[in-house]
Amino acid sequence: MFERAVAGERRALGRLLTLVERGGPAGDELAEIAHPRAGHCHVVGLTGAPGAGKSTITGRLAAAASAARADDTPGVGVVAIDPSSPITGGAILGDRIRMDEVIDREGTFVRSMATRGSSGGLALAVPGAIRVLDAVAYDPVIIETVGVGQVEVDIAGTADTTVVVVTPGWGDAVQANKAGLLEVADIFVVNKAERPGASDARRDLELMLDLGAHPVEGVPHWRAPILMTTATDGTGIDELWNEVGKHRTWLQETGELENRRQSRDRFEMLGRVDELLGAVGRARAESDHGVRLLGEVKERSMSPAAAASELLNDLLQ
Amino acid sequence: MTDAAAATDGEPLRVILAKLGLDGHDRGLKVVARMLRDAGVEVIYLGLRQTAATIINAAEQEDADAIGLSMHNAGHLTLAPRMVNAVKEAGLDIPVIVGGIIPDEDITELLDKGVAAVLGPGASTDEVIAAIRDSVPS
């Protein structure tokens, strides 16, 4: 099926992404096949508050990227994430409706994904999905996060270039100086820039950047540019695509790209370590030993932390 | 996650919801989207003014289990079979389910032409889920 996807069969690629989402042995096997062939595409992450215009910008950006692609490449991969209901697990994945009218369907592959219980603005399957799209030569791959608040910054650990979208009236300079989302931006977009307050939003971001890290001799410095867009009519999108390109070049020239990818690999590996160790721990908690330890916690003769250490004692040597 | 909406292997069903052509009545589609979400389905919502080509494109990329069409403009006898044929021509094995205002006397014809199920106003969540589950190839 992987070879069929490489040959351009979209249905095969769609099915592969389902295997990634399902995980398990089939997902792991796919990662084994895809990983050696991946590592070429530029990953662009778009994040921002709900309703800021992420989907519309993603669609427009994909269209711009697709228009600029070389003839022998399949085009632009898009993964658009929306939240799963924490109650029922269901989801309404509604990002395509903002994109279908503008994207070139031949040169773009759009996949909607539900978070399925993940809380950092991404779905667990995102790194795997990027790997597969990358391995079948989609470049760039654009990831649109769920609408986020202030601290859901998983995207920055996943993307090469992180674009943070704000809108006029999103907050003032104090909001801008709080920690979180704004710290991870490589590029800022003030969308809905035709609305009142757009220049104020821009000014507040500039002020925040002025207060931030200053260039140090010998350390590569990138000051996040601030772009004004009206995504609904496409204003400013070419400039945004241009800035993404500049950031990509900067990452490559400074070696920062290698750093980011290394920390991404590490992040993914450690995430899997957590998962595997967690599975071992949960299984052991069900064993006689685990039940006995839980009993001691109940009797208050042992703390939960001590019980956990005891449970994994052989692994913690 | 409710058992009703989980596919046979425990994964959530992925269902495309769309309206074909010039038919602006999307209230029903939104109600069904919410109903399915609340039953644990992942709804890929395409909304208004879709074509068979855009739906096929989405079905392939999203690896959808089923396509739900909402019809309120009396075009169902033309448009629904066209959608069924487009699915077949694309080599896909995905059921097309029709909801909306469909006169009783048209239901048999739609089913004869390959529509997997026809659901009218008042169909309960359980009925909708059952119709999807029964028509998705296992």
Side-chain angles (χ1 to χ4, degrees):
Chain A
M1 194 165 2
F2 185 78
E3 294 308 324
R4 276 163 51 205
V6 171
E9 200 184 306
R10 293 169 159 245
R11 195 163 19 124
L13 181 52
R15 181 50 58 90
L16 290 182
L17 293 174
T18 298
L19 294 179
V20 170
E21 279 200 283
R22 291 183 181 180
D28 287 348
E29 193 187 328
L30 177 57
E32 281 304 308
I33 299 170
H35 193 70
R37 307 173 73 144
H40 309 291
C41 82
H42 192 71
V43 182
V44 181
L46 261 106
T47 190
K54 293 181 297 300
S55 299
T56 312
I57 293 175
T58 300
R60 295 274 181 188
L61 198 61
S66 167
R69 81 187 199 273
D71 286 340
D72 59 343
T73 58
V76 183
V78 175
V79 180
I81 302 148
D82 271 325
S84 296
S85 158
I87 312 296
T88 68
I92 295 179
L93 310 174
D95 292 320
R96 287 190 89 96
I97 56 171
R98 321 279 177 205
M99 301 178 192
D100 265 358
E101 283 179 25
V102 294
I103 56 173
D104 154 29
R105 289 195 200 98
E106 285 306 306
T108 318
F109 190 100
V110 180
R111 177 63 171 234
S112 310
M113 243 180 218
T115 51
R116 298 195 181 175
S118 184
S119 63
L122 293 181
L124 278 177
V126 167
I130 294 171
R131 181 162 26 244
V132 169
L133 288 165
D134 187 352
V136 299
Y138 279 86
D139 185 13
V141 171
I142 304 175
I143 310 295
E144 183 201 337
T145 74
V146 303
V148 299
Q150 293 178 317
V151 295
E152 302 93 331
V153 296
D154 281 2
I155 187 65
T158 305
D160 297 318
T161 299
T162 300
V163 179
V164 173
V165 182
V166 303
T167 50
W170 66 281
D172 62 9
V174 176
Q175 294 290 353
N177 278 319
K178 290 181 182 173
L181 188 62
L182 300 174
E183 288 177 288
V184 303
D186 296 308
I187 298 172
F188 283 107
V189 170
V190 179
N191 190 36
K192 310 188 188 184
E194 79 288 1
R195 295 197 182 172
S199 56
D200 294 341
R202 182 192 187 115
R203 183 202 59 214
D204 289 337
L205 289 172
E206 293 283 8
L207 281 171
M208 177 205 65
L209 291 171
D210 287 344
L211 290 174
H214 288 283
V216 177
E217 185 92 10
V219 178
H221 178 74
W222 171 268
R223 180 180 167 114
I226 302 168
L227 296 167
M228 312 297 277
T229 63
T230 301
T232 46
D233 68 10
T235 304
I237 297 298
D238 286 343
E239 290 80 355
L240 174 58
W241 176 236
N242 199 16
E243 284 298 331
V244 170
K246 278 192 204 164
H247 187 247
R248 183 179 194 164
T249 306
W250 178 84
L251 287 171
Q252 286 163 346
E253 286 175 352
T254 58
E256 182 65 15
L257 188 65
E258 284 307 307
N259 293 342
R260 288 193 181 194
R261 293 199 168 169
Q262 211 163 37
S263 63
R264 192 194 305 169
D265 290 343
R266 187 182 148 82
F267 183 78
E268 202 185 339
M269 188 180 83
L270 291 180
R272 183 53 76 93
V273 167
D274 286 349
E275 214 175 283
L276 293 172
L277 277 181
V280 171
R282 278 187 294 277
R284 289 189 182 178
E286 301 297 319
S287 70
D288 290 348
H289 187 207
V291 171
R292 199 168 61 245
L293 287 170
L294 203 55
E296 296 208 32
V297 173
K298 184 177 175 231
E299 297 302 324
R300 307 219 165 251
S301 54
M302 193 182 236
S303 74
S309 298
E310 176 69 31
L311 204 58
L312 296 176
N313 194 27
D314 56 315
L315 295 173
L316 299 174
Q317 300 300 319
Chain B
M1 200 180 306
T2 58
D3 293 338
T8 41
D9 48 4
E11 294 292 325
L13 285 166
R14 290 170 64 85
V15 177
I16 287 179
L17 291 184
K19 289 184 75 82
L20 274 173
L22 290 174
D23 176 359
H25 307 87
D26 63 351
R27 184 65 176 254
L29 194 67
K30 286 176 169 152
V31 169
V32 173
R34 178 60 190 272
M35 188 188 260
L36 293 182
R37 187 206 83 174
D38 289 345
V41 173
E42 291 184 357
V43 175
I44 295 127
Y45 189 84
L46 300 186
L48 294 170
R49 288 183 290 278
Q50 299 299 306
T51 64
T54 56
I55 293 171
I56 295 291
N57 186 53
E60 291 185 338
Q61 297 182 4
E62 303 287 358
D63 195 19
D65 296 306
I67 295 168
L69 298 177
S70 159
M71 308 193 131
H72 294 86
N73 65 351
H76 49 272
L77 288 179
T78 312
L79 293 172
R82 197 181 285 172
M83 187 72 234
V84 170
N85 290 335
V87 170
K88 272 191 210 139
E89 278 165 28
L92 298 173
D93 189 12
I94 303 176
V96 175
I97 296 161
V98 172
I101 304 300
I102 310 292
D104 287 346
E105 58 265 38
D106 291 347
I107 292 177
T108 314
E109 182 174 344
L110 286 176
L111 296 176
D112 284 348
K113 289 187 170 165
V115 170
V118 178
L119 298 158
S124 69
T125 303
D126 288 348
E127 285 167 326
V128 175
I129 294 290
I132 296 170
R133 278 183 67 83
D134 291 347
S135 54
V136 172
S138 51

